[in-house]
């Protein structure tokens, strides 16, 4: 008998119909969307701890099935090859340079690597978050980052052939960032214009443009801007004045505090733009209630185009920072910072300030993964599973919270319509 059918003896209350169950799920999601900041932090910490428990089980099970010469534990004929506690120790503390050992310094190389990853992810997280707040799902940040990186590298190389000395020292970094912003912004404007004026689905267009960016950059570098002294597909090395200076940290870490400070300035700028300007209000209103925003005088087409352009510009600046801080040149095969920015944004609840902490968590996991691979015999695939597991557990509550907030808005709109029209059926 179906669960939705009447009770067999007529005494038990009937099981809830599927519509009733969906209504219960929807109300739970709506309640989740109304959680306070403190409750969200508690949920995130609980999700992180739960992911560690599940990860410990997975590592232990994998260690029991693996074969190794030096097991960490043996009982009878059974051996345990991986120590799950040591794996998580290296994953988190290794990313910070292990502060519980003697002689620890906050300027250590591993912490610099974590901050280096964090800096790039702040830009890509901001890029995705800004588009999300406008109700646009921008999956093309990776392509915008690539175009921005290429534009920054070519611009600085061109300027390096014209200017040198003190002027170059002052000019090149702002010029590279501007070029990255223009390149990424124009590339983001393409799907923006297609959506605004041709009603093209931005998910499809931004995905496709990621592939286009990879192929275009490969063609241009290989055929027109390749370094003749290198076998790799890359441009010539940028002049020293066009690379971020290493402040406090060792230059070999490829991290610059100046780049991180610029990223934090952009966080403040995007937060101010979204929360304290008329354009930010229009953008948020268009993302929450597009019909009401248009009725209130917001030009939805212009808002879509502008938000995707700004989103692309932020991704492009991330690419410029990657080129001028990490690589010192443009090279094909840029890591997937743009795709990671989607998870960073979801994890942050599309909040610019939250993107800093989400990017830091990502930076710790990415940097710590390298330490685990170096310090243990755990396969890199298993390390990837652990990293994905932690991200999944921490991001999912925020993802469902976003859905709950959207459901709550839809419910309020229906209630307002029913009140204004005298009833939903009118």
């Amino acid at each position: 008998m179906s669960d939705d059918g009447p009770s067999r003896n007529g005494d038990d209350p009937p099981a809830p119909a599927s519509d009733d169950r969906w209504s219960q799920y929807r109300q739970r999601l709506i309640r989740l969307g109304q959680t306070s900041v403190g409750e969200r932090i508690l949920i995130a910490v609980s999700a992180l701890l739960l992911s560690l428990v599940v990860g410990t089980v997975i590592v232990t099970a994998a260690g029991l099935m693996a074969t190794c010469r030096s097991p960490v534990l043996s009982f009878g004929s059974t051996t345990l090859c991986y120590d799950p506690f040591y794996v998580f120790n290296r994953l988190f503390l290794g990313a910070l340079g292990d502060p519980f050992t003697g002689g620890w310094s906050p300027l250590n190389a591993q912490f610099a690597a974590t901050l280096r990853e964090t800096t790039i992810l702040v830009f890509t997280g901001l890029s995705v978050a800004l588009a999300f707040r406008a109700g646009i799902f921008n999956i093309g940040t990776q392509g915008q980052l690539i175009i921005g990186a290429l534009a920054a590298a070519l611009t600085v190389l061109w300027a390096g052939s014209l200017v040198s000395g003190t002027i170059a020292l002052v000019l090149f970094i702002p010029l590279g960032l501007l070029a990255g912003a223009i390149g990424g912004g124009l590339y983001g404007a393409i799907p923006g214009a297609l959506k605004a004026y041709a009603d093209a689905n931005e998910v499809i267009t931004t995905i496709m443009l990621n592939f286009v960016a990879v192929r275009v950059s490969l063609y241009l570098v290989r055929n027109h801007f390749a370094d003749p002294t290198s076998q790799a597909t890359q441009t010539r090395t940028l002049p020293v004045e066009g690379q971020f200076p290493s402040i406090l940290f060792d230059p070999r870490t490829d991290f610059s505090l100046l780049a991180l400070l610029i990223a934090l300035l952009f966080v403040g700028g995007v937060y101010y733009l979204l929360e304290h300007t008329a354009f930010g209000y229009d953008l948020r209103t268009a993302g929450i209630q597009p019909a009401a925003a248009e009725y209130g005088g917001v030009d939805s087409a212009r808002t879509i185009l502008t938000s995707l352009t700004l989103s692309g510009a932020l991704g492009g600046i991330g690419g410029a920072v990657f080129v001028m801080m990490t690589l010192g040149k443009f090279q094909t095969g840029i890591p997937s910072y743009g795709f990671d920015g989607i998870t960073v944004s979801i994890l942050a609840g599309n909040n610019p300030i939250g993107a800093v902490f989400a990017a830091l968590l990502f930076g710790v996991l990415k940097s710590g993964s390298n330490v685990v691979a170096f310090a243990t015999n755990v396969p890199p695939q298993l390390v990837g599973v652990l990293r994905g597991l932690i991200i999944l557990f921490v991001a999912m509550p925020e993802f469902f919270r976003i859905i709950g907030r959207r459901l709550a808005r839809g419910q309020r709109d229906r209630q307002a319509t029913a009140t204004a029209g005298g009833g939903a059926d009118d």
Side-chain angles (χ1 to χ4, degrees):
M1 187 176 65
S2 168
D3 292 341
D4 298 334
S7 60
R8 185 173 297 173
N9 56 18
D11 295 331
D12 299 331
S18 58
D19 287 346
D20 292 336
R21 282 202 295 271
W22 163 239
S23 178
Q24 293 173 4
Y25 295 147
R26 187 169 60 182
Q27 291 305 318
R28 289 172 184 168
L29 286 172
I30 290 174
R31 284 198 295 273
L32 181 62
Q34 295 169 343
T35 50
S36 64
V37 174
E39 291 170 331
R40 289 167 59 190
I41 293 174
L42 184 62
I43 291 172
V45 172
S46 302
L48 178 62
L49 294 176
L50 184 59
S51 70
L52 297 183
V53 172
V54 176
T56 300
V57 173
I58 293 175
V59 173
T60 303
L64 290 173
M65 291 185 288
T67 56
C68 55
R69 294 182 177 177
S70 303
V72 296
L73 186 64
S74 299
F75 39 96
S77 60
T78 305
T79 59
L80 178 64
C81 289
Y82 313 137
D83 183 351
F85 300 104
Y86 187 64
V87 169
F88 284 114
N89 176 293
R90 293 296 82 197
L91 185 62
F92 289 101
L93 296 184
L96 305 177
D98 203 342
F100 296 108
T101 59
W104 181 81
S105 166
L107 304 180
N108 68 81
Q110 202 56 49
F111 189 45
T114 300
L115 294 179
R116 186 180 66 219
E117 298 292 324
T118 302
T119 302
I120 309 296
L121 289 169
V122 165
F123 284 108
T124 56
L126 285 178
S127 169
V128 178
L130 191 143
F132 270 151
R133 294 293 288 269
I136 300 170
F137 199 58
N138 180 18
I139 311 179
T141 297
Q142 180 67 18
Q144 294 146 18
L145 180 143
I146 292 173
I147 297 299
L150 180 60
L154 296 182
T155 301
V156 172
L157 284 172
W158 168 76
S161 63
L162 303 175
V163 182
S164 61
T166 306
I167 297 177
L169 194 63
V170 176
L171 180 67
F172 282 4
I173 289 179
L175 183 66
L177 294 177
L178 179 62
I182 293 174
L186 290 177
Y187 205 64
I190 297 173
L194 290 173
K195 180 174 179 60
Y197 301 109
D199 200 24
N201 188 307
E202 79 275 14
V203 175
I204 304 299
T205 54
T206 51
I207 285 177
M208 299 304 293
L209 284 170
N210 285 334
F211 296 104
V212 174
V214 172
R215 294 298 178 183
V216 167
S217 62
L218 179 64
Y219 170 80
L220 289 177
V221 174
R222 179 176 291 170
N223 295 285
H224 299 286
F225 303 107
D227 181 358
T229 64
S230 174
Q231 296 296 320
T233 307
Q234 64 183 31
T235 64
R236 289 180 286 113
T237 302
L238 304 185
V240 176
E241 297 87 350
Q243 301 182 37
F244 278 98
S246 297
I247 303 173
L248 298 179
F249 287 87
D250 190 325
R252 292 173 294 181
T253 60
D254 296 327
F255 168 68
S256 172
L257 271 179
L258 178 60
L260 180 59
L261 290 175
I262 291 175
L264 296 179
L265 284 176
F266 270 92
V267 169
V270 172
Y271 178 81
Y272 182 82
L273 175 74
L274 289 174
E275 303 295 337
H276 298 289
T277 66
F279 171 75
Y281 177 79
D282 291 348
L283 188 144
R284 287 187 288 116
T285 306
I288 296 171
Q289 295 173 314
E294 195 156 357
Y295 180 78
V298 175
D299 187 337
S300 60
R302 189 185 65 180
T303 303
I304 291 170
L305 177 60
T306 307
S307 58
L308 263 173
T309 303
L310 289 176
S311 175
L314 288 168
I317 294 173
V321 171
F322 178 67
V323 162
M324 295 193 294
M325 180 182 71
T326 305
L327 288 183
K329 61 177 79 89
F330 180 87
Q331 190 175 55
T332 55
I334 291 181
S336 58
Y337 290 111
F339 297 113
D340 292 340
I342 297 173
T343 313
V344 168
S345 178
I346 292 175
L347 194 61
N350 301 327
N351 185 305
I353 297 175
V356 177
F357 300 98
L360 179 61
L361 174 63
F362 250 79
V364 166
L365 293 176
K366 294 188 80 167
S367 177
S369 298
N370 296 330
V371 179
V372 172
F374 176 76
T376 71
N377 59 344
V378 174
Q381 294 85 354
L382 182 56
V383 178
V385 168
L386 295 178
R387 200 173 74 182
L389 190 71
I390 294 170
I391 293 169
L392 183 68
F393 270 64
V394 178
M396 276 299 103
E398 278 301 318
F399 179 73
F400 286 118
R401 193 183 70 85
I402 293 172
I403 294 176
R405 293 180 64 183
R406 289 184 178 273
L407 289 174
R409 293 184 196 116
Q411 184 171 281
R412 285 197 298 269
D413 289 346
R414 285 193 297 274
Q415 290 173 348
T417 303
T419 302
D425 297 329
D426 291 345

